Amino acid sequence: MVDLPLQVLVQNAALLLAVAVVFDAVSLRVDFERTRLQQAVAGLLLGVIGISLMLTPWQFAPGIFFDTRTVLLNIVGLFFGAIPTVAALAVMITWRAVQGGPAALTGIIGMLVAAGIGLWWRRRQRDNLENLSFRDLYLFGLGAHAVTLVQVTSLMYLTVPAAAAAVLGRYWFPLLAIYPVATALLGVLLVSRLRARRLADTNARLQRQVEAQLEEVRASRARIVEAGDRERRRVERDLHDGAQQRLVALSLELRLAQNALGADADPAVRTRLEHAADEAQAALADLRDLALGIHPLILTDSGLEAAVESLADRSPVDVTIDIGPERYAPNVEGAAYFVIAEALTNVAKYAKAKTATVRAMARENVLRIEVADDGIGGADLASGTGLRGLVDRLAVLDGTLTIESPVGGGTRLSAQIPCVRAVSPPAPAGSRPTSAGLRQEVHGT
Amino acid sequence: MTRLVLADDSVLVREGIARLLVDAGLEVVAQVGDADALLRAVREHHPDLAIVDIRMPPTHTTEGLRAAEEIRAEHGSAIGILVLSHHVEPSFAVRLLADGAGGVGYLLKDRVNDVDDFVDAVRRIARGGSVIDPSVVSVLVGRRAKVPLDDLTEREREVLSLMAEGRSNQAIADRLSMATKTVEAHIANIFSKLELLPAPDDHRRVLAVLAHLRGQVEVGP
């Protein structure tokens, strides 16, 4: 055991590297070195590694032994900073003091020097740690252990002069041959760890940014659709309360003017008034078509079932409706209505169908809509901008749209919209003792 | 003299209609701007007829329709009701007709433009007749495939439409320049071709035809 210091010290260095690799794998996951307490805990663990090195030294004589703890302390000082270094030193110095022996003081001072060199270089390399190369780290290790050699030599001559020459004669070569390499290897390990950590931090930051941006995009898309819906309702109402009412008033004025003309009036004036009234009438018809396409009054007033019946009334295809009188949030009703309206339009335009079925039913807070026909099939979501728009519209509500349309096998359009069922059935202000019965009869088909 | 109450939140429109009707010799006993005022005015004046804009404050949706249903529930068919709207829904028409009592009408607001027709409609409703806007009927008749109307001749389809608008046999005869007997024969044919039960009066006939055209089972009286 006394012989072959080179072999023993290589083994000791290998032990250091092996433990460091394990430590690295574990601490990367636990993510040490965040708070002061965590830094101190990391330091204590590093100190324990130091003890494990001191348990397998090259022993020259009882109380005089050598191991790679200075390599560990160089690196701890350089990469971990003050708090872990002090904690590790406390553990290792305590251990060395307990072991005692003639070289105890030399060993303890050697540890302080090694840690000090590491910390000193850390100050100089603060922002450059992750760029250190193997060569940089080797030279660092070489320099640090040259200092250690000088320090050990002088202290040995002071404390154990009898053994000093013999010890140092066998120690200097392994010290300068093995320790700088071990320092460089351990350093490279930590540099790669720093880089991995920096990369992970960057990734996490980017991911948070992307998620935040995605959330913002979703929110803004919802706001845009919401604003569009609100705007449609406003335009429809403005049309009604403004232009349409004024045109009716204008027609009335024209009629009253005609009435006021009397029997002996100029027939040309009468004709002019007639034409003006006809123009007002035509304008009203135009506005009516416009308003109908903007937002259906019946949807707001009577809900999805009645609004779909209105669509069915206008459809050339025989439409069977299976929708309850339940009401949903306005945006859900709006989306459901436009899905069904677009689907029925497509049925009428392209499907060559005789009959269609519209179903809508809420189960487990999802409104499931299905529009099926017995037409020629062959439709797909990519074919029409109308369907594309519906997908976008549903996506805002986290809804989905699917289409099954085998050629010759009819088309089945399904939409699912998350919803919370609102009041059901609609309960308008004021008592309507007969209306429930009326509705039942009307819908009792 | 026919006495009526007028409800519309637009003063301009209300005044205009009132003057037209007064010029035509009808009496407008009250003009109101919302459904609550309408119900009060009807209770106070017991008019022959209420003319109601479907959209009124506060929500501007179908207050007029609901007020109409309340008036029917409260006063029965003693008070006729004409609902005016900028836009017609067949389902609203059926909803109005559904109590089977007659004396109701549902017209586009633009119809005030044709004064004579409009005043005629008002008088017919006041007398207990039913008036449905031609555009409601044309929406339903326009889509051929839904209810098979192919068996009907062009003439029969015209008669069917006028019947659905609430015209009497006499009015249909006048409109189509044919004898009343011919109209009756056409109507018998239509009912048999559509497999509808003969209706006891003009009003039920309107409802039966509309319901049939909407693809619904006939609504019982």
Side-chain angles (χ1 to χ4, degrees):
Chain A
M1 191 154 180
V2 173
D3 291 310
L4 302 171
L6 192 67
Q7 188 188 343
V8 173
L9 287 172
V10 166
Q11 282 172 2
N12 194 260
L15 173 68
L16 171 61
L17 289 171
V19 174
V21 167
V22 172
F23 181 82
D24 177 48
V26 175
S27 72
L28 248 188
R29 253 172 246 139
V30 189
D31 206 8
F32 281 118
E33 310 123 30
R34 283 283 156 101
T35 68
R36 282 163 181 240
L37 181 66
Q38 285 170 337
Q39 288 189 43
V41 170
L44 294 177
L45 287 173
L46 290 163
V48 172
I49 295 176
I51 291 173
S52 75
L53 298 177
M54 287 189 266
L55 287 172
T56 56
W58 167 60
Q59 187 151 348
F60 177 77
I64 304 176
F65 51 83
F66 298 91
D67 51 57
T68 53
R69 73 190 104 120
T70 50
V71 172
L72 177 66
L73 286 166
N74 286 157
I75 291 298
V76 169
L78 178 59
F79 285 97
F80 289 75
I83 295 175
T85 306
V86 169
L89 273 176
V91 172
M92 290 162 71
I93 287 173
T94 306
W95 183 259
R96 185 68 191 87
V98 170
Q99 283 181 315
L105 185 63
T106 305
I108 288 169
I109 291 176
M111 285 193 259
L112 289 169
V113 169
I117 292 170
L119 287 171
W120 168 78
W121 217 47
R122 177 181 175 83
R123 281 179 65 118
R124 304 196 44 167
Q125 297 292 331
R126 176 125 238 156
D127 300 319
N128 195 38
L129 284 178
E130 65 194 72
N131 297 324
L132 292 176
S133 65
F134 184 89
R135 185 169 161 274
D136 296 334
L137 289 160
Y138 178 80
L139 292 175
F140 164 66
L142 195 62
H145 285 93
V147 173
T148 297
L149 184 61
V150 171
Q151 172 256 325
V152 169
T153 306
S154 43
L155 278 175
M156 291 281 275
Y157 276 105
L158 284 176
T159 54
V160 280
V167 172
L168 294 169
R170 300 185 67 177
Y171 182 52
W172 75 269
F173 177 71
L175 181 80
L176 293 181
I178 299 166
Y179 286 30
V181 174
T183 306
L185 288 172
L186 192 56
V188 165
L189 184 72
L190 285 161
V191 165
S192 73
R193 176 179 164 178
L194 275 179
R195 285 182 188 160
R197 169 99 149 245
R198 179 68 49 96
L199 197 62
D201 284 351
T202 307
N203 276 346
R205 198 180 64 245
L206 287 176
Q207 178 147 8
R208 278 195 302 278
Q209 273 176 8
V210 167
E211 278 167 7
Q213 281 168 357
L214 192 65
E215 190 47 48
E216 177 51 37
V217 167
R218 283 162 64 100
S220 81
R221 190 168 58 171
R223 280 198 301 276
I224 289 166
V225 169
E226 181 72 24
D229 283 354
R230 207 166 40 236
E231 209 43 20
R232 289 168 84 106
R233 286 195 290 272
R234 190 187 65 73
V235 168
E236 195 266 346
R237 191 163 151 176
D238 284 357
L239 265 184
H240 175 270
D241 296 340
Q244 286 180 309
Q245 289 283 58
R246 278 173 190 278
L247 274 173
V248 170
L250 173 66
S251 316
L252 285 165
E253 284 299 325
L254 291 168
R255 288 303 172 205
L256 290 165
Q258 278 180 302
N259 288 358
L261 275 182
D264 54 347
D266 182 351
V269 175
R270 194 175 290 281
T271 312
R272 291 265 160 176
L273 285 174
E274 190 74 38
H275 285 168
D278 289 347
E279 277 304 307
Q281 184 86 0
L284 272 169
D286 287 352
L287 280 183
R288 185 161 48 246
D289 291 345
L290 185 61
L292 182 63
I294 291 174
H295 188 87
L297 169 66
I298 192 168
L299 178 64
T300 322
D301 177 68
S302 310
L304 191 59
E305 184 184 34
V308 173
E309 279 173 10
S310 171
L311 287 174
D313 281 336
R314 289 169 169 76
S315 171
V317 179
D318 191 1
V319 182
T320 307
I321 298 167
D322 182 8
I323 301 175
E326 291 85 2
R327 298 299 304 260
Y328 306 94
N331 52 356
V332 173
E333 282 187 345
Y337 175 82
F338 286 112
V339 166
I340 294 167
E342 180 69 26
L344 287 179
T345 304
N346 288 344
V347 169
K349 267 193 197 161
Y350 309 116
K352 296 184 182 151
K354 282 204 171 58
T355 64
T357 311
V358 181
R359 285 196 189 87
M361 186 188 291
R363 218 181 309 133
E364 290 158 2
N365 289 338
V366 176
L367 179 62
R368 289 160 213 277
I369 298 158
E370 187 186 284
V371 182
D373 68 54
D374 60 356
I376 57 171
D380 67 77
L381 282 181
S383 64
T385 52
L387 289 176
R388 212 44 256 173
L390 290 180
V391 172
D392 292 345
R393 206 183 162 85
L394 288 173
V396 170
L397 300 170
D398 289 327
T400 56
L401 188 71
T402 49
I403 192 164
E404 273 172 66
S405 189
V407 173
T411 299
R412 180 185 301 268
L413 189 90
S414 310
Q416 304 200 345
I417 310 173
C419 68
V420 177
R421 190 178 293 206
V423 281
S424 68
S431 61
R432 294 168 55 202
T434 57
S435 60
L438 293 186
R439 283 181 62 81
Q440 241 164 28
E441 278 184 298
V442 170
H443 300 310
T445 57
Chain B
M1 187 185 278
T2 305
R3 301 166 65 251
L4 43 88
V5 169
L6 203 51
D8 193 309
D9 60 322
S10 159
V11 179
L12 272 178
V13 171
R14 206 160 77 197
E15 292 284 349
I17 295 175
R19 276 170 54 196
L20 268 185
L21 294 172
V22 169
D23 284 358
L26 303 168
E27 185 187 356
V28 177
V29 293
Q31 292 184 35
V32 296
D34 63 63
D36 288 343
L38 169 65
L39 293 174
R40 281 198 303 275
V42 166
R43 275 183 211 120
E44 186 186 334
H45 296 287
H46 277 275
D48 300 306
L49 182 83
I51 298 179
V52 186
D53 182 17
I54 197 166
R55 278 168 74 143
M56 285 188 290
T59 68
H60 294 271
T61 53
T62 52
E63 282 80 3
L65 194 58
R66 292 190 184 144
E69 285 168 345
E70 284 195 47
I71 291 170
R72 296 301 269 190
E74 201 175 316
H75 305 276
S77 57
I79 296 174
I81 301 219
L82 171 56
V83 173
L84 296 182
S85 173
H86 280 299
H87 156 77
V88 290
E89 282 295 343
S91 68
F92 288 172
V94 171
R95 199 165 137 184
L96 267 174
L97 291 165
D99 71 353
V104 292
Y106 182 44
L107 287 177
L108 275 179
K109 215 176 224 182
D110 327 11
R111 303 299 172 199
V112 297
N113 223 325
D114 196 334
V115 184
D116 295 340
D117 254 17
F118 184 68
V119 171
D120 174 54
V122 169
R123 290 188 196 281
R124 274 160 53 209
I125 296 164
R127 285 199 305 268
S130 302
V131 174
I132 295 299
D133 199 275
S135 66
V136 173
V137 181
S138 67
V139 161
L140 297 174
V141 175
R143 341 137 295 172
R144 299 278 159 76
K146 182 155 182 180
V147 179
L149 298 179
D150 295 347
D151 292 349
L152 302 188
T153 64
E154 195 58 42
R155 207 57 164 165
E156 284 167 347
R157 237 174 263 153
E158 286 172 8
V159 172
L160 177 78
S161 295
L162 290 170
M163 204 161 54
E165 288 167 23
R167 306 279 172 182
S168 65
N169 292 0
Q170 183 61 54
I172 296 171
D174 292 349
R175 179 67 68 95
L176 299 179
S177 309
M178 54 173 74
T180 321
K181 283 233 179 287
T182 320
V183 172
E184 283 165 7
H186 279 310
I187 289 173
N189 279 341
I190 292 167
F191 272 70
S192 110
K193 281 180 180 174
L194 299 183
E195 297 174 352
L196 287 172
L197 295 173
D201 57 45
D202 287 358
H203 174 76
R204 300 237 165 85
R205 190 168 79 179
V206 176
L207 188 54
V209 172
L210 279 186
H212 177 78
L213 290 175
R214 293 191 76 217
Q216 294 178 327
V217 172
E218 193 174 340
V219 180

